[in-house]
């Protein structure tokens, strides 16, 4: 993968994650109530859903910011994949099959970028590599 392609994919997936976090952070309690309500009839206990509903927007924001800037790109891609895998499980628990394609596409982007991480040359990460 060439540098430009990697950058554009990294920016696209990073912007998606950043945008999800940005719109949810100002209304964190409302988002949490919505998520908890969505899982009322699932087998997941509220004791797991509530903390996750508060952590998710923060994780989305941080992962997105790291990817957009190209800082700690590899760990951010791994974290993004893990967040999405968790969301996939949650979607299955509430039988929300409509969101699965979007979540799977996110995981595909994360893993493709991980496979071509050596193409991440237009990133803040490169400043750290040059110092060592």
């Amino acid at each position: 993968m060439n540098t430009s392609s990697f950058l554009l994919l990294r920016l696209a997936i990073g912007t998606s994650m950043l945008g999800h976090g940005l719109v949810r952070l100002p209304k964190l309690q409302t988002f949490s109530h919505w998520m908890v309500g969505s899982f009322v009839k699932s087998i997941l206990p509220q004791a797991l859903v509530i903390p996750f509903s508060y952590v998710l927007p923060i994780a989305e924001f941080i992962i997105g910011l790291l990817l957009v800037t190209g800082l700690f790109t590899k760990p951010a891609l791994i974290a993004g994949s893990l967040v999405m895998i968790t969301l996939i499980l949650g979607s299955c628990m509430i039988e929300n099959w409509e969101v699965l394609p979007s979540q799977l596409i996110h995981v595909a982007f994360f893993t493709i970028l991980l496979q071509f991480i050596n193409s991440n040359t237009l990133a803040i990460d490169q400043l750290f590599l040059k110092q060592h």
Side-chain angles (χ1 to χ4, degrees), residues 57-97:
I58 296 165
E60 290 170 327
F61 176 80
I62 292 170
I63 290 165
L65 187 62
L66 291 174
L67 291 174
V68 167
T69 61
L71 179 62
F72 305 119
T73 305
K74 187 174 181 179
L77 291 169
I78 293 168
S81 295
L82 294 174
V83 166
M84 284 297 142
I85 292 165
T86 305
L87 289 174
I88 289 168
L89 177 63
S91 297
C92 291
M93 295 295 104
I94 60 172
E95 298 182 79
N96 186 359
W97 313 121

Side-chain angles (χ1 to χ4, degrees), residues 24-42:
R24 292 174 175 164
L25 283 174
K27 54 182 182 181
L28 198 52
Q29 189 168 11
T30 302
F31 174 74
S32 175
H33 283 88
W34 169 81
M35 183 174 269
V36 169
S38 297
F39 282 86
V40 158
K41 295 181 181 178
S42 78

Side-chain angles (χ1 to χ4, degrees), residues 36-58:
V36 169
S38 297
F39 282 86
V40 158
K41 295 181 181 178
S42 78
I43 62 171
L44 295 174
Q46 239 187 9
L48 288 177
V49 177
I50 291 172
F52 184 79
S53 70
Y54 281 100
V55 170
L56 177 61
I58 296 165

Side-chain angles (χ1 to χ4, degrees), residues 1-15 109 113:
M1 178 179 292
N2 69 38
T3 300
S4 299
S5 297
F6 189 95
L7 175 64
L8 291 171
L9 282 176
R10 193 189 82 220
L11 289 174
I13 198 70
T15 301
F109 274 108
L113 289 169

